[in-house]
Amino acid sequence: MSEITERPGFAGLLSRPLIGEAGRRRLEGFLIPLIALLAGLALFGVFIALNGKSPAEFYQLVYRGGFGTWFSLQNTMTRAAPLLLTALCVALPAQLGLVVIGGEGAFVLGGLAAAVVGPLFGFAPGSLAILMMALAGLCAGGLWIGLVGAMRHYRGINETISSLLMAYIAIALMNHFVEGPLKDPASLNKPSTVPLPDDMRIGEIPGMDVHWGFALGILACLAAGFVLSRTTFGFAARIAGGNARAAAVQGLPVGWLILAFTAAAGAAAGLAGMIQVAAVQGSANASLAAGYGYTGILIAFLARQNPIAIIPMALLIGGIDAAGGFIQRRMDLPDATVLVLQGILFVSILVSETLSGRLLPSRNAKAGAAK
């Protein structure tokens, strides 16, 4: 006697979830930062209105100053270049559940190391000198944040506090060397290191008024996304980030992963500092501590620690920053207004994390609630 297979009726089809668990997580990962971003913009609109200004005009000027013309878009890409790498300084350790917010320290030390190493290779071709400067920036930043990972692994010191405190130490060290042993005697009003020769400066992408650091930042984000999603190394990091103790029981080298990811994070921020010196400033000075590392925290959280999503988020924040001067002139607003917007967005992102797992409840959660 043949078995009769009962097919689900129309009601059964409706009861099935339209997307699987992986799709639900991806959709939630897109919706939560979008909701946070829109909520932050709305709150800032209220802030602008209370100051007697038009929110609609403000956002129109943001678009015009950051994205509306080819000139403004190139300015946005230039400002986004270091942010791509400093955001990776936060996103990479986050794969292991670590909150590292001291990228500013690795950034300034990477820039200082590049400014010191470059003149030492004055006898070599400019391309070799740039390579040596990049290695110096990578090593300086990698060692600095790698030390944060070592303190976390070997001594159990909280990485959030230690990385933040070490950022202040790094800035103080940079100021000490720039204003002391490494000061260029010709830099009277603004102490700086010796300016880099023209052949040691990073040039611009052909046909664009944007330096190659932007392309390098894009490649770094794409490479990080590939490693995390397509390699066993990235898979091990995500497993350890979910439950470090269980990962250690299964034989995963959790300690080594912490050291590797924090060092890679610091190397990214150090490379950003090197690019800032070799492509924009031409020397190391107090302007290096301009908050790129701290802005990278906002971008990484907006991207939910996804290296690929860092790219559009860095462009967004870079565009807002690029439009700051334009807004100040046209609306007679203080220069710090853009910083207020960034702060509101950051708070909005932190609050939105409470929606994780609740915005689109999983099938198992619904079943548990029904019971």
Side-chain angles (χ1 to χ4, degrees):
M1 186 174 182
S2 61
E3 296 183 359
I4 299 177
T5 303
E6 183 179 352
R7 295 184 178 181
F10 184 69
L13 291 174
L14 288 179
S15 64
R16 292 182 178 180
L18 295 177
I19 58 175
E21 183 64 20
R24 183 196 66 80
R25 288 197 298 268
R26 284 194 293 268
L27 182 58
E28 192 178 69
F30 170 77
L31 290 176
I32 289 178
L34 178 61
I35 292 171
L37 183 61
L38 293 176
L41 293 176
L43 286 173
F44 184 76
V46 174
F47 171 79
I48 288 291
L50 292 175
N51 281 274
K53 305 294 182 179
S54 169
E57 182 185 2
F58 178 88
Y59 291 124
Q60 182 185 17
L61 292 176
V62 167
Y63 173 74
R64 288 176 57 189
F67 310 98
T69 65
W70 179 233
F71 174 81
S72 60
L73 184 58
Q74 289 181 106
N75 190 19
T76 292
M77 289 188 282
T78 299
R79 291 174 182 264
L83 301 178
L84 292 164
L85 294 166
T86 56
L88 280 179
C89 187
V90 181
L92 291 177
Q95 310 303 318
L96 293 162
L98 304 178
V99 182
V100 173
I101 60 174
E104 185 79 356
F107 180 87
V108 299
L109 289 183
L112 179 64
V116 171
V117 169
L120 298 179
F121 287 84
F123 61 90
S127 57
L128 177 60
I130 291 175
L131 177 60
M132 292 297 103
M133 291 163 61
L135 289 175
L138 287 166
C139 292
L143 289 172
W144 195 254
I145 303 298
L147 180 59
V148 172
M151 289 191 291
R152 167 60 189 265
H153 175 55
Y154 293 110
R155 305 302 301 175
I157 298 174
N158 182 277
E159 74 284 351
T160 305
I161 297 174
S162 63
S163 63
L164 180 61
L165 294 178
M166 287 184 65
Y168 289 111
I169 296 173
I171 294 171
L173 286 173
M174 185 269 295
N175 287 329
H176 166 74
F177 285 110
V178 165
E179 297 175 8
L182 300 178
K183 180 183 177 181
D184 177 19
S187 60
L188 300 177
N189 296 328
K190 189 173 186 179
S192 304
T193 57
V194 177
L196 296 175
D198 290 340
D199 62 344
M200 294 184 189
R201 303 291 298 272
I202 296 177
E204 296 176 347
I205 301 172
M208 301 175 65
D209 191 19
V210 181
H211 59 73
W212 279 102
F214 177 73
L216 189 58
I218 296 287
L219 290 175
C221 289
L222 294 176
F226 176 81
V227 169
L228 291 175
S229 62
R230 301 293 181 181
T231 67
T232 54
F233 184 65
F235 178 74
R238 285 184 279 116
I239 293 297
N243 191 323
R245 185 168 297 179
V249 171
Q250 294 298 321
L252 291 178
V254 177
W256 185 84
L257 287 170
I258 291 175
L259 296 177
F261 269 75
T262 52
L271 181 61
M274 173 268 170
I275 291 172
Q276 187 68 12
V277 166
V280 180
Q281 296 186 186
S283 63
N285 51 50
S287 298
L288 267 178
Y292 289 110
Y294 301 125
T295 306
I297 303 170
L298 169 61
I299 294 169
F301 274 82
L302 276 171
R304 291 181 67 83
Q305 322 302 344
N306 184 332
I308 306 300
I310 282 174
I311 298 173
M313 292 300 104
L315 286 170
L316 173 64
I317 299 302
I320 293 173
D321 187 40
F326 184 55
I327 294 168
Q328 185 180 11
R329 293 191 302 270
R330 299 296 288 269
M331 296 188 69
D332 194 27
L333 287 170
D335 187 46
T337 303
V338 171
L339 297 179
V340 175
L341 173 57
Q342 292 182 4
I344 290 177
L345 288 177
F346 188 61
V347 172
S348 180
I349 283 292
L350 292 179
V351 173
S352 72
E353 289 299 315
T354 59
L355 296 175
S356 183
R358 299 180 182 181
L359 186 62
L360 298 173
S362 66
R363 189 178 182 183
N364 293 335
K366 290 180 179 178
K371 292 179 181 180

